[in-house]
Amino acid sequence: MRVLLDKQDGSEEYAAKGVEYISATDDKEEKEKFVAKAKKEVILSTGAFMTPQLLELSGVYTFQPCGYIPSR
């Protein structure tokens, strides 16, 4: 998957405008590329797997460690 970005007018910032992805087929020779463009916003999520890392890399989230929590 690849997030499609557009530069904001008069700014150095970018905004996500859609995503590009490849179909998940078993036949590796016949992969088809798709583009989905957003009308309002793009929501990035990988479920429970690596979501904090994805959000941190996108600039949406800043990691703040909780510290040591002892087990009982």
Side-chain angles (χ1 to χ4, degrees):
M1 182 179 81
R2 183 172 74 135
V3 178
L4 304 174
L5 301 173
D6 280 343
K7 194 169 187 177
Q8 298 291 331
D9 294 332
S11 174
E12 291 297 318
E13 296 184 9
Y14 289 84
K17 296 296 182 180
V19 294
E20 181 180 88
Y21 61 96
I22 297 173
S23 65
T25 60
D26 292 334
D27 187 5
K28 293 185 179 185
E29 294 179 12
E30 295 185 24
K31 290 186 179 178
E32 189 174 354
K33 190 183 293 186
F34 296 95
V35 174
K37 293 188 178 180
K39 291 182 181 178
K40 291 187 177 183
E41 58 190 23
V42 174
I43 299 174
L44 302 174
S45 175
T46 60
F49 182 70
M50 294 185 66
T51 297
Q53 290 89 345
L54 176 64
L55 293 174
E56 190 171 12
L57 290 171
S58 69
V60 174
Y61 168 79
T62 303
F63 175 72
Q64 297 177 358
C66 298
Y68 175 71
I69 300 173
S71 61
R72 294 184 177 191

